[in-house]
Amino acid sequence: MEQTINRGLDGVYIDESAICFIDGGKGQLVYRGYDIRELAGKASFEEVAYLLWRGELPDRAQLDAFRARLAPYFRVPPAVYDLYRSLPAGTSPMAALRSAVSLLAGFDEQPDGVDEANVHRIGTQLLAQFPLLVAAFQRIRAGQEPVEPRPDLSVAANFLYTLTGEEPSPAATRVMDVALVLHAEHGSNASTFVARATASTLTDVYSAITAAVGALKGPLHGGANTAVMKALEEIGSLEAVEPYVMGVLAKPGGRVMGFGHRVYKVLDPRAEILKEVSRGLAEESGDSKWFEMSLEMERVMDREMAKKGKQVKPNVDFFSASVYRMLGFPGDMYTPIFAVARIAGWMAHLYEQYADNRIMRPRLVYTGPTGKTFTPIDER
Ligand code: ACO
């Protein structure tokens, strides 16, 4: 077999998929035939999850039935709250979510079945539970009691409701829905690949999703939105943006978080939409600090990258940081919120993977020594 190395699996196709199409040259993201610009701001997160899972947008009756299937899962076992209370202070919300998903398997009477019906059942449950898991951890670490979700509310609204204990405004729910729709799916990104690779051993859904949460946590992937906010906070003012960016780029291998993408070589369409959401929130609230700083960062990056003949544009994580900040979420919750959305995409891919599976087993080109002979330990 020819030994071709594609580091970072760059350009490697591992299978066929009918879920998502990305044209990185044109800045196009398509869910099941629908351009993301067609969906964001028009479809609810539940409609998009249905689309990703079933291949078509639901009609009214199908959406009502889907919501009715989600409603009984708007609760989490109290053991998850006990777990959260037992975690050491300073545990990150992503680490807590990873542990919670793993724990949930223990409360499932049929965690291991990978037949279509069982995988769909678990997927429906996780779609309903992810926002609650994330909101409950935030409340518990802030010394508050978790809030019981309301089965009559949507996933987006329940997230806001269980986080704050107050019924969210239609405007906040709309912004949340847009953010969830934009983050729901993105082809064979690192965490989705990890989910599919894990499932390819025919292990259970909880294991695949736990692994995916772990992969999303990384700063080169979903963790970048938290890193963007941390950077904006460290920078602190509009004037300090340029020196900060120049300082990062001056370091060997320096990366400005929230910029660059393996697939997009023009602006990530999700970033384009979130930029406008961020602009809108800044105008409404009269607090444009984070948005203005983000624009300045984009300007300096554009200028510096152009000097190097590179196109390194904002990705989805960049403007989501200022959006979430203006919605009042703590910075380290941004990546778990990404997971609340991406569970829809992960599950869509697990359905495909389990339905037509081949174990994933790539190779490594061996570069170590050969031909050594064993020396007993006392003679080494
Ligand atoms: N800051 C500065 N330069 C960058 C950045 C960045 N954020 N991203 C890419 N570049 C430059 C690199 O210097 C590289 O130049 P070189 O070829 O001279 O070394 C070139 O652009 C290509 O970058 P690679 O790192 O080779 O791209 P890769 O596809 O391997 O990595 C990644 C993509 C991980 C997203 C990278 O752009 C990065 O580290 N970005 C910052 C982290 C981030 O925002 N991640 C979120 C991505 S979106 C998501 O996962 C949800």
Side-chain angles (χ1 to χ4, degrees), residues 55-75:
E56 297 291 346
L57 281 169
D59 61 24
R60 174 65 60 197
Q62 287 166 327
L63 182 63
D64 288 347
F66 185 56
R67 289 201 161 125
R69 281 197 297 280
L70 286 172
Y73 295 120
F74 281 135
R75 55 178 185 79

Side-chain angles (χ1 to χ4, degrees), residues 10 183 186 189 216 219-222 224-225 228 248-249 253-263 265 268 270 301 305 310-312 315-317 338 342:
D10 196 351
H183 287 83
H186 210 236
N189 60 89
L216 186 71
L220 295 189
H221 189 16
N225 54 13
V228 170
V248 172
L249 295 181
R255 290 277 189 278
V256 180
M257 289 293 141
F259 287 84
H261 200 275
R262 173 64 60 79
V263 185
K265 298 307 162 203
D268 179 336
R270 301 166 300 173
M301 275 297 277
M305 291 296 125
K310 289 183 199 164
Q311 288 260 43
V312 180
N315 56 49
V316 68
D317 289 322
F338 194 151
R342 189 52 61 83

